[in-house]
């Protein structure tokens, strides 16, 4: 039966080009006894109720604080209450003792379509590095490849405690590819913003605004965990060089974005120097803009961005590995001193070689300390950036990022008695300096348990790895990555 279901999904993916408005049949996930499972990630029932009992609760809500021993009540996918003790009759009790109970991590920017390229990249090699490799691979990827890559990337994310991801898809060759990407997000049960981008970045091809509108009207309203955004990218001439009028088509993009009332995201870097001033003059800076990579800003640009409430996504590991030489150091200290709205991100698990969100917090801490600035950066602040501030940067803080009653139950439990993290005295300190994905015991999204006891409940990781490997091997030949 399972093989038939999986074959049916693959057949449907191949038909997506002809049926752009359709979506792939969702994976069937078997229900598991105990607390709420991912039996059907799209549906909640009144029976999905339990109490996480006796954990070290980090609410990431300043009005609730931390509870060294506390309970979290979850019902129908939402957090009902957080307190030192919650006693209710006929409600399932889940032992959370010896575990940190906290909101799931929020990744503010990740190119999930590149996940399968991980084994083929060679740093900054001029032929086999990240940028030339993703350009060649992107040109030959099928909807199947997209589906396998996104599933692979999301599985890595969930294993690292990431429950919300901004899927920055700056390579949408067709509506079928967009459908495959979003179906993978749905099938794995993660909360996500899907940011629709044109094929390549920068690109000679225009955005398919008609398909963006199709997604906005027909897909997003049916998926409670999915929101939609748009990628804003520079335009090139046919020879790949930047146009002299690189910003001219921004007015077209912004007209569509504003008409659809969508958030939009832009990479900041060598190709976009000067764009802050241009966008400020036209009134295009605001809380709906997420600007990725705070490197190379002038002092005036920093002031303008903060005054305009622009959100900033930092990718600490990638910025240390790839961007510092080209674009300068990460300007976290300068933006923090101005109280900028910021979150943390993986960028690409292919380029960084993993999706370890604990490493992202550590890398930002190390980069900050290496600069020797006087701006403080504590472990508590890093966990804020990785959770509630990431949710704010994606304009999702009303539903996730903290264990606030009324929000969706996106929760992770981290074991405190593992060899590499014990003994835990200050949980913030241990999360930043010691914790690894292997310490993540339980991952809950919308109240449903996706991982328990360090293992996926209903996701077949062997199948995900096989499919991702098959796509990766095909791409190595088709895109000349070998």
């Amino acid at each position: 039966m399972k093989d038939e279901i999986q074959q049916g999904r693959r057949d449907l993916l191949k038909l997506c080009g002809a049926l752009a408005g359709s979506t792939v049949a969702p994976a069937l996930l078997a229900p598991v006894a105990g607390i709420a499972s991912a039996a059907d990630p799209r549906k909640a029932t009144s029976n999905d109720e339990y109490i996480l009992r006796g954990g070290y609760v980090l609410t990431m809500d300043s009005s609730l604080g931390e509870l060294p021993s506390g309970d979290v009540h979850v019902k129908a996918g939402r957090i009902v209450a957080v307190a030192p003790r919650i006693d209710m009759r006929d409600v399932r009790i889940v032992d959370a003792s010896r575990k940190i109970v906290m909101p799931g991590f929020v990744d503010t920017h990740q190119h999930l379509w590149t996940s399968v390229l991980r084994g083929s990249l060679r740093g900054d090699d001029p032929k086999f590095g990240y940028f030339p490799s993703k350009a060649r691979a992107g040109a030959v990827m099928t909807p199947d490849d997209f589906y396998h890559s996104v599933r692979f990337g999301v599985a890595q994310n969930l294993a690292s405690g990431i429950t919300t991801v901004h899927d920055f898809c700056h390579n949408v060759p067709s509506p079928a590819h967009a459908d495959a990407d979003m179906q993978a997000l749905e099938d794995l049960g993660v909360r996500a913003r899907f940011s629709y981008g044109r094929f390549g970045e920068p690109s000679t091809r225009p955005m398919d605004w008609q398909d963006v509108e199709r997604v906005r009207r027909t897909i997003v309203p049916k998926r409670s965990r999915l929101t939609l955004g748009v990628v804003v990218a520079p335009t090139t001439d046919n020879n790949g060089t930047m146009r002299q009028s690189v910003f001219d088509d921004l007015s077209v993009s912004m007209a569509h974005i504003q008409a659809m009332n969508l958030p939009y995201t832009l990479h900041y870097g060598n190709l976009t120097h000067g764009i802050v001033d241009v966008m400020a003059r036209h009134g295009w800076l605001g809380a709906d803009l997420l600007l990725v990579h705070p490197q190379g800003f002038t002092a005036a640009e920093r002031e303008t961005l903060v005054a305009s409430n622009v959100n900033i996504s930092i990718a600490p590991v990638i910025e240390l590995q790839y961007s510092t030489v080209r674009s300068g150091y990460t300007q976290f200290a300068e933006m923090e001193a101005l109280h900028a709205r910021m979150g943390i991100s993986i960028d690409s698990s292919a380029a960084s070689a993993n999706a370890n969100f604990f490493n992202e917090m550590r890398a930002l801490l190390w980069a900050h300390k290496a600069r020797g600035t006087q701006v403080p950066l504590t472990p508590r602040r890093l966990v804020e950036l990785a959770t509630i501030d990431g949710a704010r940067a994606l304009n999702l803080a009303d539903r996730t990022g903290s264990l606030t009653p009324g929000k969706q139950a996106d929760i992770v439990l981290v074991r405190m008695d593992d060899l590499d993290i014990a003994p835990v005295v200050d949980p913030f300190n241990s999360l930043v300096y010691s914790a690894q994905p292997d310490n993540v015991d339980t991952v809950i999204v919308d109240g449903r348990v996706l991982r328990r006891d360090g293992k996926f409940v209903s996701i077949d990781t062997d199948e995900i790895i096989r499919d991702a490997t098959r796509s990766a091997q095909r791409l190595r030949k088709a895109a000349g990555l070998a």
Side-chain angles (χ1 to χ4, degrees):
M1 178 65 178
K2 180 179 177 182
D3 290 339
E4 294 173 359
I5 292 170
Q6 298 301 330
Q7 183 59 49
R9 181 194 297 131
R10 286 190 284 270
D11 291 342
L12 280 168
L13 272 169
K14 294 174 182 177
L15 291 173
C16 279
L19 302 172
S22 66
T23 56
V24 184
L28 299 183
L29 303 174
V32 176
I35 52 181
S37 73
D40 185 340
R42 299 169 302 170
K43 297 180 181 179
T45 71
S46 59
N47 294 325
D48 296 335
E49 183 174 13
Y50 51 91
I51 294 173
L52 302 172
R53 169 63 49 80
Y56 201 130
V57 180
L58 309 181
T59 69
M60 307 316 296
D61 181 323
S62 58
S63 66
L64 297 175
E66 293 80 52
L67 301 174
S69 179
D71 293 356
V72 179
H73 179 198
V74 175
K75 182 177 181 179
R78 291 185 179 273
I79 298 167
V80 178
V82 179
R85 180 82 176 189
I86 300 172
D87 289 314
M88 300 181 66
R89 296 183 61 180
D90 302 323
V91 175
R92 187 183 301 115
I93 302 299
V94 179
D95 182 14
S97 61
R98 302 182 303 282
K99 297 179 181 67
I100 297 169
V101 180
M102 61 181 290
F105 293 129
V106 178
D107 184 333
T108 56
H109 142 251
Q110 188 173 162
H111 308 298
L112 289 167
W113 71 271
T114 69
S115 301
V116 295
L117 303 180
R118 183 170 63 192
S120 300
L121 302 181
R122 304 179 193 172
D124 263 343
D125 184 274
K127 183 176 181 181
F128 298 109
Y130 174 70
F131 292 104
S133 294
K134 79 177 178 70
R136 295 198 302 277
V140 296
M141 288 183 80
T142 66
D144 268 324
D145 294 326
F146 256 53
Y147 183 79
H148 298 154
S149 189
V150 174
R151 273 206 316 174
F152 182 53
V154 171
Q156 295 176 59
N157 291 352
L158 292 170
S160 187
I162 297 169
T163 57
T164 299
V165 61
H166 176 199
D167 181 4
F168 187 129
C169 192
H170 55 350
N171 180 48
V172 183
S174 75
H177 289 76
D179 286 348
D181 190 308
M182 290 181 288
Q183 191 61 53
L185 297 171
E186 179 74 2
D187 286 353
L188 266 71
V190 72
R191 189 175 308 284
R193 177 201 287 181
F194 174 71
S195 278
Y196 199 120
R198 57 187 169 184
F199 176 59
E201 182 193 325
S203 175
T204 59
R205 290 172 57 174
M207 174 78 89
D208 187 345
W209 292 107
Q210 183 176 354
D211 196 53
V212 176
E213 179 65 5
R214 173 189 68 87
V215 172
R216 187 180 76 90
R217 287 184 177 274
T218 67
I219 295 181
V220 173
K222 299 176 182 178
R223 299 183 180 181
S224 61
R225 292 184 308 277
L226 184 68
T227 55
L228 178 64
V230 173
V231 175
V232 178
T235 303
T236 64
D237 289 321
N238 290 328
N239 63 5
T241 60
M242 297 305 301
R243 291 181 182 174
Q244 291 298 313
S245 55
V246 62
F247 304 119
D248 287 356
D249 68 337
L250 273 177
S251 60
V252 176
S253 296
M254 292 307 303
H256 285 286
I257 288 167
Q258 291 170 345
M260 296 182 196
N261 194 28
L262 294 175
Y264 46 105
T265 305
L266 172 73
H267 274 141
Y268 188 86
N270 293 336
L271 297 181
T272 51
H273 285 171
I275 200 168
V276 172
D277 182 56
V278 171
M279 296 186 81
R281 289 202 310 270
H282 289 83
W284 296 334
L285 297 180
D288 285 334
L289 171 60
L290 178 71
L291 198 57
V292 179
H293 301 311
Q295 300 168 281
F297 296 152
T298 65
E301 286 176 332
R302 292 194 294 267
E303 294 279 357
T304 297
L305 292 170
V306 173
S308 302
N309 293 318
V310 171
N311 302 289
I312 304 295
S313 176
I314 308 169
V317 171
I318 289 295
E319 288 165 15
L320 280 173
Q321 282 185 303
Y322 289 90
S323 301
T324 302
V325 172
R326 291 190 303 271
S327 304
Y329 52 78
T330 298
Q331 295 182 7
F332 170 78
E334 291 83 353
M335 301 305 288
E336 179 79 343
L338 294 172
H339 307 290
R341 294 159 48 121
M342 293 185 284
I344 296 175
S345 62
I346 295 288
D347 194 328
S348 168
S349 64
S352 64
N354 62 60
N356 185 334
F357 222 63
F358 301 98
N359 272 357
E360 298 296 339
M361 292 190 289
R362 278 189 280 274
L364 180 55
L365 180 64
W366 295 334
H368 181 75
K369 286 184 176 295
R371 291 187 59 202
T373 72
Q374 298 304 305
V375 176
L377 179 56
T378 65
R380 178 191 295 269
R381 178 68 184 122
L382 284 160
V383 177
E384 287 176 351
L385 290 162
T387 55
I388 183 59
D389 278 7
R392 290 180 180 129
L394 294 180
N395 297 322
L396 293 174
D398 61 332
R399 66 194 75 175
T400 193
S402 67
L403 303 185
T404 303
K407 289 190 180 185
Q408 300 301 129
D410 297 348
I411 306 170
V412 297
L413 277 62
V414 180
R415 289 188 298 273
M416 295 192 293
D417 52 4
D418 285 351
L419 187 63
D420 55 356
I421 192 173
V424 175
V425 177
D426 176 345
F428 293 105
N429 194 74
S430 294
L431 287 169
V432 171
Y433 283 98
S434 301
Q436 299 290 344
D438 284 348
N439 305 128
V440 176
D441 179 90
T442 302
V443 178
I444 302 169
V445 181
D446 260 0
R448 297 160 190 77
V449 174
L450 303 183
R451 282 176 66 86
R452 184 176 57 201
D453 299 327
K455 298 178 181 178
F456 282 106
V457 170
S458 302
I459 295 171
D460 187 340
T461 53
D462 289 340
E463 177 194 78
I464 288 173
I465 293 169
R466 284 196 302 271
D467 287 346
T469 300
R470 185 168 62 250
S471 281
Q473 291 172 341
R474 190 192 73 79
L475 290 171
R476 282 177 64 82
K477 294 179 181 178
L481 304 182

